[in-house]
Amino acid sequence: MTTPLVEMDGDEMTRIIWRLIKDELILPFVELKTEYYDLGLTERDNTGDRVTEDAANAIRKYGVGVKCATITPNAQRMTEYKLKEMWKSPNATIRGILDGTVFRTPVTLDCIKPVVRTWKKPITIARHAYGDVYKASELRTAEGGTAELVFTGKSGKTERVTVQKLGGPGVLQGMHNIEASIGSFAHSCFKFAIDTRQDLWFSAKDTISKVYDGAFKEIFERVYEDYRSEFSRLGIEYFYTLIDDAVARVVRSEGGFIWALKNYDGDVMSDMVSTAFGSLAMMTSVLVSPDGSYEFEAAHGTVTKHYYRHLKGEKTSTNPVATIFAWSGALRKRGELDGLPELCSFAGRLEEATLDTIRQGVMTGDLALLVEGEKPKSVTTWEFIGAIAEKMK
Ligand code: NAP
Ligand code: MG
């Protein structure tokens, strides 16, 4: 490797799996060069969370990072880790610094049938992670009256529209978004579509919300002009449709595209799509910034319940597939950017060895419950990774 890969270690069961993957599946085969950041909760607390910011800035500098799942502290973690502060979610900090969009894709296998029978290829969900109802102001009135929307510009100019004349008590909500954020979201989506050579769908409800959703549609169309010629060169399409039409088309589709969604729609649809594909433990996630930096990780958390069993000496059957694919995705991207075809082909071999191990019936307990066909053998994480390592040799 020439450029370092930004490596972000994490917490609990996934921290154990992280070490195993490196020792058994990567270091024996690759001259790995990483810049290591320990995002484990203890180190975040010791550095006043500086380590998270440093890691995010390193991803901006080098362009590719791989991250282990991390604890987002809550009240219980404050006492468990004797924290100085309830630190923010590292993912939120990194996403803020990179201004990125998260793309979630399931790892699919023929022996794990999606609930939707027509789906043959993965569907990737891109959720806009800023604004709308997640940054709304709300109000419940005790009496009737007039609700208005008032905007005071920096210039002092005001604009005013009536929301509704209420005949009695009611509820009100004011929400917003920012053109720059929608533009960044669109850029990340078009970049990721080109990167993965898949069609990009975007859906909203601009027939009803002519101004608000209309702005989303218009900004996507404007940004698309920057990518139109690359799309046609690759033979991929940008497709806008209304959200309800999109839902119907997605269910009838074969999959194999990226579906970009507004914040709330993405929240709902990502849970629907990931559940329909099978298991959270098979979901990978990539954060893509509008200037083209990439951070790869598993979509699941630190699997706390398994970690407590591990601490009691039990060999757990925690599924490492999403974390393995985070590593392979990051190594492939690094290889592409640095012109290292051997690194790219190693990433492919690691993924194939992982999938072949499952195809041959050796897998963790969560998958053994999902696969169809011959009776699968449920093994521990250590045995599963050992079986993949055997295949790699
Ligand atoms: P979780 O770690 O995703 O685990 C929830 C449950 O899902 C597990 O108990 C397990 O079910 C199953 N599961 C998830 N990943 C699995 C895997 N790889 N193999 C097998 N089963 C798996 O979510 P959580 O327990 O709500 O959160 C734990 C910690 O993770 C929290 O501190 C949270 O802040 C953090 N978190 C971090 C991220 C991130 O860094 N991206 C994301 C989400 C949560 P069974 O117990 O039934 O086996
Ligand atoms: Mg959700």
Side-chain angles (χ1 to χ4, degrees):
M1 291 177 69
T2 42
T3 318
L5 176 64
V6 180
E7 174 187 352
M8 290 156 280
D9 210 340
D11 289 299
E12 300 193 310
M13 203 59 217
T14 40
R15 189 180 178 97
I16 310 281
I17 291 175
W18 196 258
R19 189 74 252 168
L20 264 178
I21 292 173
K22 273 182 74 177
D23 287 346
E24 303 284 326
L25 301 179
I26 296 175
L27 292 173
F29 309 100
V30 178
E31 270 181 48
L32 187 68
K33 187 168 160 191
T34 70
E35 194 164 293
Y36 179 85
Y37 293 88
D38 185 358
L39 301 197
L41 188 48
T42 307
E43 187 63 12
R44 276 183 275 150
D45 197 47
N46 287 341
T47 61
D49 212 19
R50 257 297 293 279
V51 66
T52 309
E53 287 168 37
D54 290 347
N57 287 319
I59 301 173
R60 290 183 69 170
K61 178 175 169 193
Y62 295 117
V64 189
V66 59
K67 179 180 168 289
C68 179
T70 47
I71 292 169
T72 299
N74 55 15
Q76 183 248 318
R77 301 294 195 173
M78 294 289 289
T79 28
E80 184 183 352
Y81 283 82
K82 301 185 179 60
L83 300 179
K84 291 188 271 221
E85 234 178 86
M86 202 185 289
W87 306 109
K88 254 177 56 176
S89 144
N91 289 52
T93 303
I94 296 168
R95 198 167 59 221
I97 290 173
L98 294 178
D99 186 23
T101 297
V102 174
F103 296 84
R104 272 181 159 211
T105 311
V107 175
T108 53
L109 274 159
D110 281 344
C111 55
I112 302 174
K113 298 263 182 282
V115 174
V116 179
R117 275 173 305 166
T118 51
W119 291 355
K120 300 209 160 45
K121 293 178 233 161
I123 295 170
T124 297
I125 299 269
R127 170 183 171 189
H128 183 213
Y130 178 82
D132 300 353
V133 69
Y134 301 85
K135 264 192 188 299
S137 305
E138 298 187 317
L139 160 69
R140 184 165 184 173
T141 70
E143 56 174 346
T146 305
E148 290 178 301
L149 201 57
V150 182
F151 175 73
T152 310
K154 280 186 186 153
S155 66
K157 188 184 143 204
T158 59
E159 290 180 75
R160 183 181 293 265
V161 288
T162 301
V163 175
Q164 184 70 28
K165 288 191 179 5
L166 303 173
V171 284
L172 296 160
Q173 183 180 71
M175 62 184 200
H176 81 284
N177 220 297
I178 295 168
E179 291 200 7
S181 172
I182 303 167
S184 293
F185 174 51
H187 277 287
S188 296
C189 290
F190 288 114
K191 283 208 161 71
F192 195 70
I194 287 170
D195 230 56
T196 58
R197 288 169 173 62
Q198 296 182 94
D199 291 345
L200 174 67
W201 296 19
F202 176 56
S203 53
K205 192 75 181 180
D206 68 298
T207 44
I208 300 298
S209 169
K210 291 189 169 60
V211 174
Y212 199 106
D213 282 22
F216 275 79
K217 182 183 177 188
E218 180 214 295
I219 290 168
F220 262 73
E221 270 162 17
R222 195 169 66 214
V223 171
Y224 177 50
E225 290 310 315
D226 292 356
Y227 300 92
R228 186 187 282 278
S229 61
E230 188 64 6
F231 264 55
S232 81
R233 199 179 66 79
L234 294 172
I236 55 176
E237 268 185 20
Y238 168 59
F239 173 57
Y240 173 83
T241 189
L242 291 169
I243 177 80
D244 39 357
D245 179 52
V247 169
R249 283 171 187 265
V250 164
V251 171
R252 287 194 312 259
S253 77
E254 284 200 347
F257 53 87
I258 298 161
W259 187 13
L261 293 145
K262 289 176 61 199
N263 209 350
Y264 178 83
D265 299 339
D267 186 351
V268 177
M269 289 304 158
S270 64
D271 282 6
M272 194 273 282
V273 169
S274 65
T275 306
F277 269 110
S279 162
L280 188 59
M282 297 291 274
M283 272 284 167
T284 61
S285 151
V286 191
L287 176 75
V288 181
S289 75
D291 60 6
S293 294
Y294 293 75
E295 184 220 333
F296 294 80
E297 69 169 329
H300 60 75
T302 59
V303 212
T304 311
K305 280 191 207 146
H306 293 210
Y307 181 59
Y308 291 156
R309 298 213 300 267
H310 168 77
L311 289 180
K312 286 189 200 144
E314 189 185 321
K315 288 269 186 231
T316 64
S317 185
T318 316
N319 187 340
V321 170
T323 308
I324 293 172
F325 274 68
W327 272 99
S328 60
L331 291 171
R332 179 183 293 110
K333 190 78 218 168
R334 193 67 273 165
E336 283 168 11
L337 293 176
D338 293 349
L340 302 170
E342 283 172 40
L343 194 57
C344 299
S345 76
F346 168 77
R349 276 199 295 133
L350 175 57
E351 291 175 356
E352 272 315 301
T354 304
L355 298 178
D356 275 343
T357 303
I358 302 170
R359 286 186 192 113
Q360 287 165 12
V362 177
M363 63 198 78
T364 49
D366 58 317
L367 289 184
L369 296 171
L370 291 174
V371 300
E372 298 189 343
E374 285 172 57
K375 205 170 153 33
K377 187 172 164 218
S378 170
V379 297
T380 67
T381 308
W382 286 258
E383 290 164 334
F384 181 61
I385 289 179
I388 301 168
E390 274 309 307
K391 276 208 190 324
M392 300 287 293
K393 290 169 195 154

